Amino acid sequence: MLLAEPSSNSQQQRERTVELMFEKYKAPALFLVKNVLTSFASGRATSLVVDGLRVHVAYEKLLIRKHKLILLGGEFLTDCLMKSLESKGIMEGDKH
């Protein structure tokens, strides 16, 4: 069985997944891979993979673990956008 897992999975989560696959579902074999399968499926061995709020580097079908970028979102991103628009005179204060 081939399973794609989120790159944020902890070792404990991986172990639990393996335990479930072998013990509950009786999988004869198992391979866990980080969420880079989409780039490989499109024929790209090197890519940037966006997984939720994380961006990962895949180079020649290998996930480069030390090169990970965590994106910011939500209210922080909205505040940054509003400040940028206000500084350009596009939006005024708290009138959004």
Side-chain angles (χ1 to χ4, degrees), residues 17-82:
T17 300
V18 169
E19 180 182 329
L20 281 172
M21 291 296 107
F22 285 130
E23 293 179 9
K24 183 175 181 179
Y25 298 108
K26 307 294 186 213
L30 178 66
F31 184 74
L32 290 175
V33 65
K34 300 295 183 186
N35 274 344
V36 294
L37 293 178
T38 53
S39 66
F40 304 156
S42 66
R44 303 186 192 290
T46 301
S47 63
L48 291 176
V49 179
V50 179
D51 175 18
L53 294 177
R54 292 178 174 81
V55 177
H56 302 276
V57 177
Y59 180 74
E60 295 299 319
K61 296 188 179 181
L62 295 174
L63 183 64
I64 310 299
R65 296 184 68 85
K66 67 180 180 178
H67 294 1
K68 175 173 61 173
L69 172 67
I70 298 177
L71 303 175
L72 299 172
E75 190 174 338
F76 176 79
L77 186 59
T78 301
D79 290 343
C80 288
L81 179 60
M82 291 303 295

Side-chain angles (χ1 to χ4, degrees), residues 5 8-18 32 34 65:
E5 67 171 334
S8 58
N9 264 4
S10 67
Q11 183 65 27
Q12 184 179 16
Q13 289 169 313
R14 289 180 65 112
E15 289 171 4
R16 179 69 178 135
T17 300
V18 169
L32 290 175
K34 300 295 183 186
R65 296 184 68 85

Side-chain angles (χ1 to χ4, degrees), residues 81-93 95:
L81 179 60
M82 291 303 295
K83 286 177 185 175
S84 177
L85 293 172
E86 288 168 6
S87 72
K88 294 176 179 161
I90 298 171
M91 297 288 291
E92 294 180 25
K95 296 181 182 179

